[in-house]
Amino acid sequence: MDRQDDSVLIIGGGLAGLFCALKLAPKAVTVITAAPIGRGASSAWAQAGIAAAVGEGDTVEKHVADTLVAGDGIVDEAVARMMASQASDRIHDLLDYGVPFDRDLEGRLQVSREAAHSESRIVRVRGDMAGRAIMQSLVETVKNTPSIRVLGGYVVERLLVEDGRIVGLQALGNGNGEHDGEITAIYGSQVVIAAGGIGHLYEVTTNPAEARGGGVGMAARAGARMADLEFVQFHPTAINVGKDPAPLATEALRGHGATLLNKDGERFMVPLHPDAELAPRDVVARGIFREVQAGRGAFLDCTKAVGKTFAEEFPTVYGYCMEAGIDPVAQPIPVVPAAHYFMGGIWTDLDGRTSLPGLWACGEVTSTGAHGANRLASNSLLEAVVFSSRVAAALGGETLADAPADWSKGSKDSGRIEPRPDSEPMKLLRKTMSAHLGVLRDGEGMRNALRTIMELEEEANTERFLNVLATAKLVAVCALNRTESRGGHFRTDYPNEDPAWKRRTLVTLEQADAVIPELLS
């Protein structure tokens, strides 16, 4: 491929990447994805919707307050306030792109309530189809935007650095055609990483196979500052039917009144938290995990709260259940915690700048400070659109070229629809992460995990797997360093919060490597 220095390169075809590309129009943008745009993106699987204070009686301040509480003491309040205050504008952008958000009989946006929210503020599509509907609308809009060129079928493996500045990327052909296995260098005026999260590092996850932390590791290996890497959010109610990825039973079901029972019919969350099933996600995930570990199982009972209207109100979950032979109208749904969202990632400022010149980031690949130790439900899609919009606005101040008239004609929206199967080393890594860096952690287990990661790193022979291992190593190092429990990071050997740790974690890969001998001694 010829050197191309004018366009903004965006790594990732999910919500953050596509929204940023649209906001940059009419500037020349190249979106690089492994799969066709919209596929392999966690955004498309998001069921509940976007949190925004647009309902009657709700305010930005209430949204900020709920975000601070859920984040367990380490949310950056300025970031949370900025994000909440821009939520309404971004909802209206999505409406302009054709997203069919639910409305009431008077035409107002319909909002629902989720766990840890003090008000109904989740803007949805047909109950549980928000992510899919948003992505469908954005993909269609991108395809009709002449300033956006899409290069599908490429796994980005490495960032290219010249004189301390990110100037482009190295990608490996990931399709079934002529470029499969071919290494290509692509250069651009700026690079934006919107490559998603890390859920596939775990054996049980709600994320697609593409979400294995490659973007985080790639930036870390290039020298970027990272933040809050010990904080992984486990969704409490993945449907426990042995599927990979695990289908999700949206939190909106509990917001609707569904209850959690063990096999003896006990509502086990009632004695664990005043809000019971509507407690913050980390609390509910630990409650369910303990029931499953104890052999009592955990079940989401929607038979009374939803009942006969299940198929109309929550069609996605209904389809998942019926496919697994469960009738949620009459039967409780077996559930288990699953790796769902990464609060950690590439450190950015309020405009999505990373610590490396020429490199920007938005979406789940980042750690902006908006989520702290535990993300508030439905703040993820909100963060993606707010920060991708801010990246685009900040880049608008750079010297960027408008797209030539025939720019989008160079698009090739292809790539593998079904990801390659996990290698044996990847299977071992996922097993290790789940066993020792999951819902419950302790020092001995995490040290064992770190040793396994280091052994895998010594044997790794691909850039892609080295990126994945760099992310796993950073999670392990930061989790070992934080000798307390807070939010999504719960250590059975340090079960209480420590005021000395009421702060964010900032680290580079070089710094993490330097402390490993001490951590393992």
Side-chain angles (χ1 to χ4, degrees):
M1 184 174 293
D2 293 337
R3 183 175 178 119
Q4 176 59 253
D5 291 311
D6 294 334
S7 73
V8 175
L9 307 181
I10 297 179
I11 304 169
L15 174 58
L18 298 188
F19 199 85
C20 186
L22 288 168
K23 283 290 187 177
L24 278 165
K27 304 300 181 183
V29 172
T30 301
V31 176
I32 303 105
T33 69
I37 53 174
R39 290 183 178 265
S42 297
S43 314
W45 297 23
Q47 292 179 5
I50 299 183
V54 295
E56 189 175 346
D58 200 5
T59 65
V60 167
E61 287 303 318
K62 289 181 181 178
H63 189 177
V64 172
D66 290 345
T67 299
L68 294 176
V69 170
D72 217 352
I74 62 168
V75 171
D76 186 323
E77 187 169 348
V79 172
R81 181 163 282 104
M82 178 278 292
M83 183 176 75
S85 66
Q86 295 186 10
S88 179
D89 289 344
R90 300 293 78 82
I91 293 292
H92 284 90
D93 286 338
L94 290 168
L95 287 166
D96 290 342
Y97 292 139
V99 177
F101 287 121
D102 294 345
R103 296 181 182 272
D104 62 20
L105 294 175
E106 296 177 6
R108 296 172 298 199
L109 287 169
Q110 196 166 0
V111 289
S112 63
R113 189 180 171 201
E114 287 188 343
H117 286 271
S118 59
E119 300 284 345
S120 294
R121 68 167 65 96
I122 313 306
V123 185
R124 303 188 299 174
V125 178
R126 289 191 61 199
D128 61 5
M129 297 180 69
R132 186 186 308 174
I134 290 168
M135 290 307 300
Q136 286 174 346
S137 296
L138 290 192
V139 167
E140 196 61 33
T141 308
V142 164
K143 288 179 177 178
N144 292 314
T145 302
S147 61
I148 302 172
R149 179 177 68 162
V150 176
L151 294 181
Y154 290 95
V155 175
V156 180
E157 295 190 320
R158 190 161 65 90
L159 296 171
L160 302 178
V161 186
E162 291 181 6
D163 300 323
R165 181 181 179 85
I166 303 300
V167 296
L169 54 88
Q170 176 182 297
L172 180 71
N174 186 53
N176 297 307
E178 57 180 319
H179 299 297
D180 194 27
E182 179 183 302
I183 295 175
T184 300
I186 307 172
Y187 293 84
S189 60
Q190 307 282 335
V191 177
V192 180
I193 297 187
I198 71 166
H200 195 74
L201 291 185
Y202 291 84
E203 278 190 307
V204 182
T205 179
T206 62
N207 291 181
E210 290 83 357
R212 56 183 65 201
V216 173
M218 184 187 351
R221 291 177 69 206
R225 180 187 297 131
M226 301 285 124
D228 300 340
L229 294 139
E230 61 269 46
F231 296 111
V232 182
Q233 184 175 80
F234 295 84
H235 198 289
T237 54
I239 302 173
N240 190 13
V241 288
K243 294 193 75 172
D244 183 21
L248 187 65
T250 174
E251 197 155 72
L253 288 164
R254 282 175 284 136
H256 218 70
T259 56
L260 284 163
L261 310 174
N262 60 24
K263 69 177 183 181
D264 299 322
E266 297 168 338
R267 280 186 66 190
F268 55 84
M269 284 306 303
V270 172
L272 297 181
H273 194 278
D275 293 332
E277 286 85 2
L278 292 177
R281 281 182 172 175
D282 60 305
V283 177
V284 181
R286 287 193 294 274
I288 292 174
F289 189 74
R290 288 191 179 102
E291 293 298 309
V292 172
Q293 274 196 322
R296 292 186 292 270
F299 302 86
L300 185 65
D301 186 359
C302 310
T303 57
K304 295 183 180 66
V306 184
K308 294 179 180 178
T309 61
F310 206 118
E312 293 77 41
E313 292 196 68
F314 300 97
T316 305
V317 179
Y318 184 79
Y320 287 149
C321 289
M322 295 302 287
E323 188 179 313
I326 301 162
D327 180 2
V329 173
Q331 296 171 271
I333 304 166
V335 292
V336 65
H340 183 63
Y341 189 84
F342 192 33
M343 279 75 74
I346 305 165
W347 174 89
T348 74
D349 69 7
L350 277 166
D351 292 323
R353 288 183 188 84
T354 74
S355 61
L356 299 179
L359 182 66
W360 308 69
C362 51
E364 192 177 350
V365 78
T366 67
S367 183
T368 63
H371 305 308
N374 183 40
R375 173 178 65 85
L376 181 67
S378 292
N379 268 356
S380 54
L381 299 187
L382 174 61
E383 183 196 39
V385 291
V386 166
F387 275 86
S388 55
S389 178
R390 291 183 71 85
V391 168
L395 279 173
E398 306 279 340
T399 305
L400 298 178
D402 282 358
D406 59 350
W407 183 250
S408 63
K409 290 180 181 176
S411 290
K412 191 189 79 165
D413 187 22
S414 60
R416 285 183 174 270
I417 295 174
E418 293 297 328
R420 301 175 193 271
D422 286 340
S423 64
E424 289 306 313
M426 186 68 196
K427 289 177 183 176
L428 175 58
L429 177 63
R430 296 183 74 190
K431 183 178 180 179
T432 300
M433 295 291 287
S434 287
H436 301 305
L437 287 156
V439 178
L440 300 177
R441 306 166 174 186
D442 63 67
E444 182 181 358
M446 291 190 290
R447 281 188 287 273
N448 288 336
L450 184 53
R451 291 187 187 98
T452 299
I453 292 165
M454 301 294 285
E455 290 167 5
L456 287 169
E457 193 173 50
E458 286 179 14
E459 299 167 3
N461 56 10
T462 67
E463 292 286 326
R464 187 182 189 189
F465 196 43
L466 284 167
N467 291 336
V468 169
L469 289 168
T471 303
K473 180 167 62 176
L474 284 162
V475 171
V477 168
C478 293
L480 274 165
N481 264 336
R482 185 174 283 271
T483 51
E484 66 154 1
S485 291
R486 186 181 297 271
H489 171 69
F490 192 91
R491 292 185 60 157
T492 56
D493 51 349
Y494 290 96
N496 300 314
E497 287 188 359
D498 181 349
W501 275 104
K502 193 177 180 180
R503 54 184 169 84
R504 299 183 67 197
T505 300
L506 299 175
V507 69
T508 64
L509 184 58
E510 183 179 13
Q511 290 168 338
D513 281 331
V515 302
I516 286 175
E518 181 184 342
L519 290 173
L520 293 181
S521 62

